[in-house]
Amino acid sequence: VAWELTDRLVSEAEGKFKSIFESSGGNTGWVSFELDPLLEDPDAGMSDAERTAKYIELGKKWAAGHPNRMIKVPASTAGVAALEELAAAGITLNVTLIFTADQYVAARDAVWRGAQRRADGLENFKSVYSIFISRIDIYTDENLSDLSDDAQGTVGILNAKRVWKMNQEFWADKELPLEQELIFASTG
């Protein structure tokens, strides 16, 4: 029931953003639909391979028939493993819970590999990567007491700047009609 309600609410939001989506040629006007976060529950008794298969199944299910719906998948081991197949299926992705440059690169590369296999080409290819900032600073504050007071609270921003540069450099020569973007998130 909850997922059907989520689908209905996100569909309503998609309708409200449809004119923006159309007028931007698909560059903006997207609404994200997050796949079930309980798939990552360690007590669920699922292997990474089972989680990956479920992300692919659910991503295809919830994306079908929604031109301005972006499927949100975590940058976990299982989530990253699902990205290539989802992108190859023509699904627009928002990869979330990215904390490190390595996670970003793994996610971006998987999405790009899949995008290059899309049956409809790259004309409508769009991807978003959600970089979390404050959780890094919480971690450094709690676990890296050797950092100077001036450095505490800035590591997340420095990481975000680094990933931003990597994103700009990677996509610069791809000649894609739609932007491949970063979203910066803070939950602290």
Side-chain angles (χ1 to χ4, degrees), residues 31-182:
V31 181
S32 287
F33 185 103
E34 185 167 4
L35 298 182
D36 189 351
L38 294 178
L39 289 175
E40 292 298 327
D41 183 350
D43 296 330
M46 297 176 75
S47 68
D48 282 338
E50 291 169 318
R51 285 184 178 96
T52 297
K54 196 68 172 170
Y55 281 129
I56 293 168
E57 173 194 334
L58 292 173
K60 289 178 177 181
K61 173 184 176 178
W62 295 118
H66 298 276
N68 64 326
R69 178 175 288 186
M70 191 173 278
I71 299 298
K72 191 182 264 192
V73 180
S76 64
T77 300
V80 169
L83 296 174
E84 182 173 347
E85 185 63 33
L86 290 168
I91 295 169
T92 300
L93 297 165
N94 175 348
V95 187
T96 189
L97 297 174
I98 298 174
F99 301 100
T100 69
D102 288 345
Q103 278 182 299
Y104 161 74
V105 169
R108 181 205 64 207
D109 289 353
V111 170
W112 181 234
R113 283 191 308 272
Q116 293 175 90
R117 296 177 25 222
R118 289 169 59 122
D120 65 349
L122 296 172
E123 193 67 25
N124 297 312
F125 169 62
K126 173 86 175 173
S127 61
V128 170
Y129 306 87
S130 297
I131 313 301
F132 281 71
I133 298 172
S134 62
R135 290 188 191 177
I136 293 172
D137 289 325
I138 291 168
Y139 176 86
T140 59
D141 185 48
E142 293 174 356
N143 296 288
L144 299 175
S145 59
D146 290 348
L147 282 180
S148 71
D149 288 343
D150 289 341
Q152 290 291 358
T154 64
V155 177
I157 294 291
L158 292 172
N159 183 60
K161 287 180 177 181
R162 180 175 170 220
V163 173
W164 173 267
K165 183 178 180 189
M166 294 167 72
N167 191 66
Q168 296 299 100
E169 289 172 354
F170 181 81
W171 298 111
D173 66 348
K174 304 297 185 276
E175 298 181 16
L176 299 168
L178 302 179
E179 294 173 81
Q180 311 308 309
E181 300 180 86
L182 299 182

